[in-house]
């Protein structure tokens, strides 16, 4: 459920990666509710079809295609889909194949985490630039995590990858500031999705995790979508290189 009532993104086109469920889906839905044309994508065709058909049934202007963010051919097709131009890129995909402390992570899992969570985010931003440079209001938004500020023991390598996105945000923002393309980041706290389910599956883990959240509850995907819509809109026109923490009051900052 979102509370979208404004049309801040009318006339804009957005790409949101990993947007067939969870946070990415909520962002795509919110952008479209605010008037954007949204290109949604994820790895599995059936998920893309289901998400596109759900959003279309809500009268929203969306289209979709398969895009595994680590696949350069898929990324090429993703940008080709933006035939009328591109104003907003949300890089949202991430994986966490290793539930270990950071130095117990094996090399294969480390490479996968950095390939999807960091390298693909970098490549997407780089490849979006020719299109964003033609927009009068170019936006890049990275989805990081509160774990980039306050690492959780069990997802060590993932937290390092999410911290890297803060650096990518700052450095890309500095590079693009003069071109009027903003680069910002969102650090969600614990949000109720499939991705976070394993952290709260066992009752004792759930209690421990909830005790770290001052608001005492998990967030919902639409609560991240609201922050993303703000960053995508003209309301955030003088903001770049920043990370918005949306985490129910969890400790943040390095
Ligand atoms: P989710 O509900 O599990 O959704 C994952 C989405 O990503 C699905 O649409 C999935 O569809 C797609 N996907 C997975 N791997 C992909 C890939 N390599 N390329 C393209 N699409 C891919 O996850 P979520 O919780 O919304 O997480 C979204 C983002 O928020 C991630 O960056 C995550 O790190 C961040 N985050 C989440 C939380 C949380 O508590 N949930 C907290 C902090 C940060 P297919 O299976 O069809 O590919």
């Amino acid at each position: 459920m979102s509370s979208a009532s404004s049309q801040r993104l009318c006339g804009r086109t957005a790409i949101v990666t990993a947007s067939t469920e969870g946070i990415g889906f909520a962002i795509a839905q919110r952008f479209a509710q605010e008037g954007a044309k949204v290109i949604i994508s994820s790895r599995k065709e059936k998920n893309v079809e289901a998400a596109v058909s759900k959003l279309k049934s809500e009268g929203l202007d969306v289209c979709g295609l398969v895009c595994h963010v680590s696949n350069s051919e898929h990324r090429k097709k993703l940008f080709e889909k933006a035939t009328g131009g591109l104003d907003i890129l949300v890089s949202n995909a991430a994986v966490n194949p290793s539930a270990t402390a950071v130095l117990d992570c094996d090399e294969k899992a480390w490479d996968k985490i950095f390939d999807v969570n960091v390298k693909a985010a970098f490549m997407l931003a780089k490849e979006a630039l020719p299109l964003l440079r033609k927009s009068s209001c170019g936006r890049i938004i990275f989805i990081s995590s509160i774990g980039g500020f306050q690492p959780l023991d069990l997802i060590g390598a993932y937290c390092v990858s999410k911290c890297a996105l803060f650096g990518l945000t700052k450095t890309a923002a500095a590079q693009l500031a003069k071109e009027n393309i903003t680069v910002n980041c969102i650090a969600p706290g614990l949000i109720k999705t499939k991705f976070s389910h394993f952290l709260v599956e066992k009752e004792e883990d759930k209690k421990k995790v909830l005790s770290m959240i001052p608001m005492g509850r998990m967030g919902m995907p639409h609560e991240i979508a609201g922050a993303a819509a703000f960053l995508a809109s003209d309301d955030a026109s003088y903001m770049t290189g920043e990370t918005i923490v949306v985490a129910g009051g969890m400790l943040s900052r390095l």
Side-chain angles (χ1 to χ4, degrees):
M1 277 282 286
S2 97
S3 56
S5 57
S6 55
Q7 289 287 296
R8 294 178 293 182
L9 306 180
C10 237
R12 301 195 187 167
T13 299
I15 282 177
V16 184
T17 66
S19 46
T20 57
E21 62 185 297
I23 291 169
F25 179 83
I27 293 173
Q29 184 179 43
R30 176 65 183 256
F31 281 10
Q33 285 169 344
E34 291 222 25
K37 175 184 172 59
V38 185
I39 301 166
I40 68 174
S41 63
S42 76
R43 294 166 302 179
K44 297 183 196 122
E45 178 103 57
K46 72 170 175 26
N47 293 345
V48 174
E49 279 167 11
V52 167
S53 112
K54 174 156 191 337
L55 294 177
K56 278 197 168 155
S57 75
E58 295 170 10
L60 300 173
D61 187 2
V62 299
C63 61
L65 76 166
V66 166
C67 176
H68 186 315
V69 293
S70 295
N71 182 315
S72 59
E73 268 308 303
H74 286 192
R75 292 197 307 268
K76 190 165 176 277
K77 289 197 177 112
L78 179 68
F79 292 115
E80 282 168 3
K81 193 90 174 166
T83 48
L86 180 71
D87 305 289
I88 306 157
L89 168 71
V90 179
S91 172
N92 171 63
V95 289
N96 178 40
S98 162
T100 64
V102 64
L103 297 180
D104 296 335
C105 180
D106 66 45
E107 186 177 355
K108 203 166 156 225
W110 177 274
D111 285 345
K112 172 98 183 154
I113 288 170
F114 274 76
D115 189 47
V116 174
N117 301 7
V118 184
K119 185 180 170 191
F122 159 72
M123 292 305 295
L124 282 160
K126 195 175 164 64
E127 290 160 0
L129 268 188
L131 291 170
L132 293 177
R133 283 188 165 123
K134 290 185 190 146
S135 164
S136 57
C137 49
R139 299 274 189 273
I140 298 173
I141 301 168
F142 294 115
I143 305 300
S144 176
S145 168
I146 191 75
F149 289 119
Q150 294 293 331
L152 291 178
D153 293 349
L154 253 190
I155 48 173
Y158 166 88
C159 291
V160 181
S161 75
K162 290 301 192 175
C163 191
L165 292 181
F166 300 150
L168 182 58
T169 301
K170 283 275 175 215
T171 47
Q175 180 182 351
L176 297 176
K178 291 225 161 34
E179 298 188 59
N180 205 31
I181 298 171
T182 70
V183 186
N184 290 294
C185 182
I186 298 173
L190 194 67
I191 309 301
K192 211 168 183 170
T193 67
K194 270 193 193 155
F195 190 82
S196 61
H197 186 64
F198 79 100
L199 289 169
V200 290
E201 219 171 351
K202 293 191 201 131
E203 205 43 49
E204 69 262 32
D205 290 346
K206 187 173 178 180
K207 260 196 190 148
K208 194 174 157 201
V209 165
L210 288 182
S211 73
M212 293 161 60
I213 308 171
M215 287 180 80
R217 67 168 177 89
M218 293 174 79
M220 298 304 289
H222 75 264
E223 296 179 291
I224 304 304
F230 162 69
L231 289 175
S233 77
D234 289 343
D235 288 341
S237 55
Y238 193 54
M239 185 171 167
T240 195
E242 299 298 338
T243 295
I244 299 183
V245 177
V246 186
M250 277 177 85
L251 278 182
S252 60
R253 303 303 161 207
L254 290 169

mmCIF file of all heavy atoms in Angstrom, residues 144-151 159 162-163 166 187 243-245 251-254:
data_model
loop_
_atom_site.group_PDB
_atom_site.id
_atom_site.type_symbol
_atom_site.label_atom_id
_atom_site.label_comp_id
_atom_site.label_asym_id
_atom_site.label_seq_id
_atom_site.Cartn_x
_atom_site.Cartn_y
_atom_site.Cartn_z
ATOM 1 N N SER A 144 21.121 0.354 -1.147
ATOM 2 C CA SER A 144 22.148 -0.264 -0.306
ATOM 3 C C SER A 144 21.465 -0.970 0.863
ATOM 4 O O SER A 144 20.434 -1.627 0.688
ATOM 5 C CB SER A 144 23.127 0.817 0.161
ATOM 6 O OG SER A 144 24.067 0.281 1.050
ATOM 7 N N SER A 145 21.973 -0.793 2.070
ATOM 8 C CA SER A 145 21.386 -1.451 3.250
ATOM 9 C C SER A 145 21.936 -0.805 4.515
ATOM 10 O O SER A 145 23.072 -0.326 4.538
ATOM 11 C CB SER A 145 21.754 -2.929 3.255
ATOM 12 O OG SER A 145 21.437 -3.505 4.497
ATOM 13 N N ILE A 146 21.136 -0.853 5.562
ATOM 14 C CA ILE A 146 21.614 -0.420 6.876
ATOM 15 C C ILE A 146 22.865 -1.227 7.267
ATOM 16 O O ILE A 146 23.733 -0.741 7.993
ATOM 17 C CB ILE A 146 20.495 -0.592 7.944
ATOM 18 C CG1 ILE A 146 20.853 0.090 9.258
ATOM 19 C CG2 ILE A 146 20.158 -2.055 8.171
ATOM 20 C CD1 ILE A 146 20.742 1.563 9.235
ATOM 21 N N GLY A 147 22.960 -2.453 6.707
ATOM 22 C CA GLY A 147 24.122 -3.311 6.983
ATOM 23 C C GLY A 147 25.429 -2.691 6.500
ATOM 24 O O GLY A 147 26.506 -3.058 6.964
ATOM 25 N N GLY A 148 25.352 -1.751 5.568
ATOM 26 C CA GLY A 148 26.551 -1.046 5.121
ATOM 27 C C GLY A 148 27.095 -0.128 6.204
ATOM 28 O O GLY A 148 28.279 0.233 6.202
ATOM 29 N N PHE A 149 26.240 0.279 7.140
ATOM 30 C CA PHE A 149 26.664 1.105 8.281
ATOM 31 C C PHE A 149 26.936 0.255 9.519
ATOM 32 O O PHE A 149 27.909 0.464 10.225
ATOM 33 C CB PHE A 149 25.575 2.125 8.644
ATOM 34 C CG PHE A 149 25.400 3.234 7.646
ATOM 35 C CD1 PHE A 149 24.190 3.411 6.987
ATOM 36 C CD2 PHE A 149 26.422 4.127 7.386
ATOM 37 C CE1 PHE A 149 24.015 4.441 6.080
ATOM 38 C CE2 PHE A 149 26.254 5.169 6.475
ATOM 39 C CZ PHE A 149 25.043 5.322 5.821
ATOM 40 N N GLN A 150 25.997 -0.645 9.801
ATOM 41 C CA GLN A 150 26.076 -1.486 10.999
ATOM 42 C C GLN A 150 26.040 -2.938 10.590
ATOM 43 O O GLN A 150 24.976 -3.542 10.474
ATOM 44 C CB GLN A 150 24.870 -1.202 11.921
ATOM 45 C CG GLN A 150 24.842 0.164 12.522
ATOM 46 C CD GLN A 150 25.979 0.382 13.521
ATOM 47 O OE1 GLN A 150 26.438 -0.557 14.149
ATOM 48 N NE2 GLN A 150 26.444 1.608 13.638
ATOM 49 N N PRO A 151 27.216 -3.540 10.334
ATOM 50 C CA PRO A 151 27.217 -4.904 9.821
ATOM 51 C C PRO A 151 26.575 -5.913 10.773
ATOM 52 O O PRO A 151 26.731 -5.805 11.986
ATOM 53 C CB PRO A 151 28.706 -5.226 9.629
ATOM 54 C CG PRO A 151 29.468 -4.059 10.112
ATOM 55 C CD PRO A 151 28.549 -2.963 10.495
ATOM 56 N N CYS A 159 27.384 -7.091 3.734
ATOM 57 C CA CYS A 159 27.470 -5.752 4.342
ATOM 58 C C CYS A 159 28.639 -4.954 3.761
ATOM 59 O O CYS A 159 28.523 -3.743 3.543
ATOM 60 C CB CYS A 159 27.602 -5.865 5.867
ATOM 61 S SG CYS A 159 26.096 -6.487 6.640
ATOM 62 N N LYS A 162 27.514 -3.617 0.473
ATOM 63 C CA LYS A 162 26.551 -2.519 0.602
ATOM 64 C C LYS A 162 27.255 -1.231 1.028
ATOM 65 O O LYS A 162 26.844 -0.124 0.668
ATOM 66 C CB LYS A 162 25.446 -2.906 1.585
ATOM 67 C CG LYS A 162 24.520 -3.999 1.030
ATOM 68 C CD LYS A 162 23.843 -3.547 -0.269
ATOM 69 C CE LYS A 162 22.724 -4.435 -0.725
ATOM 70 N NZ LYS A 162 22.008 -3.938 -1.897
ATOM 71 N N CYS A 163 28.353 -1.389 1.798
ATOM 72 C CA CYS A 163 29.159 -0.219 2.174
ATOM 73 C C CYS A 163 29.827 0.370 0.921
ATOM 74 O O CYS A 163 29.936 1.590 0.777
ATOM 75 C CB CYS A 163 30.198 -0.645 3.213
ATOM 76 S SG CYS A 163 31.015 0.726 3.982
ATOM 77 N N PHE A 166 27.926 3.058 -0.829
ATOM 78 C CA PHE A 166 27.988 4.442 -0.305
ATOM 79 C C PHE A 166 29.127 5.191 -1.012
ATOM 80 O O PHE A 166 28.994 6.360 -1.378
ATOM 81 C CB PHE A 166 28.234 4.452 1.210
ATOM 82 C CG PHE A 166 27.175 3.748 2.028
ATOM 83 C CD1 PHE A 166 27.505 3.130 3.228
ATOM 84 C CD2 PHE A 166 25.854 3.708 1.609
ATOM 85 C CE1 PHE A 166 26.537 2.481 3.993
ATOM 86 C CE2 PHE A 166 24.878 3.055 2.361
ATOM 87 C CZ PHE A 166 25.223 2.448 3.554
ATOM 88 N N ALA A 187 19.391 3.385 2.224
ATOM 89 C CA ALA A 187 19.823 2.269 3.078
ATOM 90 C C ALA A 187 18.608 1.779 3.863
ATOM 91 O O ALA A 187 18.283 2.328 4.924
ATOM 92 C CB ALA A 187 20.934 2.718 4.013
ATOM 93 N N THR A 243 22.913 9.466 1.265
ATOM 94 C CA THR A 243 22.228 8.199 1.544
ATOM 95 C C THR A 243 21.112 8.457 2.551
ATOM 96 O O THR A 243 21.355 9.039 3.617
ATOM 97 C CB THR A 243 23.211 7.162 2.120
ATOM 98 O OG1 THR A 243 24.183 6.841 1.121
ATOM 99 C CG2 THR A 243 22.486 5.881 2.525
ATOM 100 N N ILE A 244 19.901 8.078 2.179
ATOM 101 C CA ILE A 244 18.772 8.198 3.109
ATOM 102 C C ILE A 244 18.609 6.859 3.823
ATOM 103 O O ILE A 244 18.477 5.810 3.183
ATOM 104 C CB ILE A 244 17.452 8.510 2.367
ATOM 105 C CG1 ILE A 244 17.555 9.841 1.620
ATOM 106 C CG2 ILE A 244 16.281 8.556 3.339
ATOM 107 C CD1 ILE A 244 16.255 10.243 0.926
ATOM 108 N N VAL A 245 18.624 6.893 5.140
ATOM 109 C CA VAL A 245 18.412 5.684 5.926
ATOM 110 C C VAL A 245 16.917 5.576 6.248
ATOM 111 O O VAL A 245 16.314 6.525 6.750
ATOM 112 C CB VAL A 245 19.229 5.740 7.237
ATOM 113 C CG1 VAL A 245 18.950 4.500 8.086
ATOM 114 C CG2 VAL A 245 20.715 5.844 6.926
ATOM 115 N N LEU A 251 20.503 2.079 14.330
ATOM 116 C CA LEU A 251 21.741 2.855 14.332
ATOM 117 C C LEU A 251 22.303 2.947 12.929
ATOM 118 O O LEU A 251 22.355 1.955 12.208
ATOM 119 C CB LEU A 251 22.777 2.181 15.217
ATOM 120 C CG LEU A 251 22.670 2.451 16.717
ATOM 121 C CD1 LEU A 251 23.804 1.745 17.434
ATOM 122 C CD2 LEU A 251 22.710 3.952 16.986
ATOM 123 N N SER A 252 22.715 4.145 12.538
ATOM 124 C CA SER A 252 23.298 4.307 11.219
ATOM 125 C C SER A 252 24.515 5.225 11.329
ATOM 126 O O SER A 252 24.794 5.746 12.391
ATOM 127 C CB SER A 252 22.281 4.912 10.250
ATOM 128 O OG SER A 252 21.877 6.163 10.712
ATOM 129 N N ARG A 253 25.182 5.370 10.232
ATOM 130 C CA ARG A 253 26.424 6.140 10.091
ATOM 131 C C ARG A 253 27.595 5.286 10.528
ATOM 132 O O ARG A 253 27.487 4.500 11.476
ATOM 133 C CB ARG A 253 26.431 7.479 10.878
ATOM 134 C CG ARG A 253 25.312 8.411 10.517
ATOM 135 C CD ARG A 253 25.321 8.742 9.040
ATOM 136 N NE ARG A 253 24.024 9.265 8.606
ATOM 137 C CZ ARG A 253 23.541 9.165 7.371
ATOM 138 N NH1 ARG A 253 24.226 8.563 6.438
ATOM 139 N NH2 ARG A 253 22.390 9.680 7.067
ATOM 140 N N LEU A 254 28.710 5.506 9.842
ATOM 141 C CA LEU A 254 29.904 4.708 10.114
ATOM 142 C C LEU A 254 30.496 5.098 11.453
ATOM 143 O O LEU A 254 30.312 6.199 11.901
ATOM 144 C CB LEU A 254 30.920 4.931 8.996
ATOM 145 C CG LEU A 254 30.525 4.324 7.651
ATOM 146 C CD1 LEU A 254 31.463 4.840 6.548
ATOM 147 C CD2 LEU A 254 30.591 2.813 7.701
#
